Amino acid sequence: MADITMYTSDRCPYCSRAKALLTKKGVEFDEIFIALHDHEARERIAEITGRRTVPQIIIDGTPIGGWDQLSALDRAGQLDALIA
């Protein structure tokens, strides 16, 4: 299984969707919660992923983006290979 880390925040519907998709796929992931107004944490996320928004998903050390990118990989049939 791939090593997956997801940066999330509360009241984030895209975070919930990303977590639900990965859970449905049966993969485990580390969730790192970022408070809504924690600007320092957002800067650290940007250093790692190039983006300040959540969710930010990293698979085997490679930032893949957020919910839009995760769901696009799934629709294209590429997500299963990444998380295997």
Side-chain angles (χ1 to χ4, degrees):
M1 283 275 168
D3 181 32
I4 302 171
T5 302
M6 184 183 325
Y7 291 89
T8 65
S9 187
D10 61 344
R11 299 183 309 217
C12 170
Y14 300 107
C15 297
S16 297
R17 291 175 190 167
K19 290 189 283 187
L21 176 59
L22 292 177
T23 300
K24 179 181 172 186
K25 297 274 185 187
V27 297
E28 294 182 9
F29 55 91
D30 294 320
E31 181 177 2
I32 300 174
F33 177 80
I34 303 296
L36 191 60
H37 299 291
D38 187 342
H39 301 291
E40 290 179 20
R42 301 272 176 163
E43 286 300 318
R44 287 192 303 274
I45 293 172
E47 291 172 7
I48 297 167
T49 67
R51 301 175 186 190
R52 290 176 176 79
T53 59
V54 291
Q56 286 302 313
I57 303 150
I58 301 170
I59 300 176
D60 286 335
T62 302
I64 63 150
W67 164 249
D68 290 339
Q69 293 77 24
L70 183 70
S71 62
L73 286 168
D74 189 43
R75 286 190 310 274
Q78 299 172 341
L79 182 58
D80 290 340
L82 285 176
I83 62 177

PDB file of all heavy atoms in Angstrom, residues 25 31 41 84:
ATOM      1  N   LYS A  25     -11.942   3.035  -0.925  1.00  0.00           N
ATOM      2  CA  LYS A  25     -10.916   2.244  -1.615  1.00  0.00           C
ATOM      3  C   LYS A  25     -10.192   1.295  -0.657  1.00  0.00           C
ATOM      4  O   LYS A  25      -9.407   0.461  -1.088  1.00  0.00           O
ATOM      5  CB  LYS A  25      -9.890   3.162  -2.286  1.00  0.00           C
ATOM      6  CG  LYS A  25     -10.459   4.044  -3.373  1.00  0.00           C
ATOM      7  CD  LYS A  25     -10.462   3.324  -4.674  1.00  0.00           C
ATOM      8  CE  LYS A  25     -10.908   4.242  -5.801  1.00  0.00           C
ATOM      9  NZ  LYS A  25     -11.069   3.474  -7.036  1.00  0.00           N
ATOM     10  N   GLU A  31      -3.942  11.610   8.543  1.00  0.00           N
ATOM     11  CA  GLU A  31      -4.653  12.879   8.408  1.00  0.00           C
ATOM     12  C   GLU A  31      -3.998  13.899   9.321  1.00  0.00           C
ATOM     13  O   GLU A  31      -3.826  13.662  10.516  1.00  0.00           O
ATOM     14  CB  GLU A  31      -6.120  12.708   8.784  1.00  0.00           C
ATOM     15  CG  GLU A  31      -6.916  13.975   8.648  1.00  0.00           C
ATOM     16  CD  GLU A  31      -8.391  13.777   8.957  1.00  0.00           C
ATOM     17  OE1 GLU A  31      -8.802  12.655   9.314  1.00  0.00           O
ATOM     18  OE2 GLU A  31      -9.131  14.761   8.853  1.00  0.00           O
ATOM     19  N   ALA A  41       0.575  27.202   9.465  1.00  0.00           N
ATOM     20  CA  ALA A  41       0.425  25.836   8.951  1.00  0.00           C
ATOM     21  C   ALA A  41       0.142  25.865   7.454  1.00  0.00           C
ATOM     22  O   ALA A  41       0.650  25.028   6.703  1.00  0.00           O
ATOM     23  CB  ALA A  41      -0.683  25.101   9.697  1.00  0.00           C
ATOM     24  N   ALA A  84      -1.912   1.508  -4.706  1.00  0.00           N
ATOM     25  CA  ALA A  84      -1.627   0.071  -4.513  1.00  0.00           C
ATOM     26  C   ALA A  84      -0.302  -0.134  -3.811  1.00  0.00           C
ATOM     27  O   ALA A  84       0.584   0.642  -3.857  1.00  0.00           O
ATOM     28  CB  ALA A  84      -1.614  -0.643  -5.851  1.00  0.00           C
TER      29      ALA A  84
END
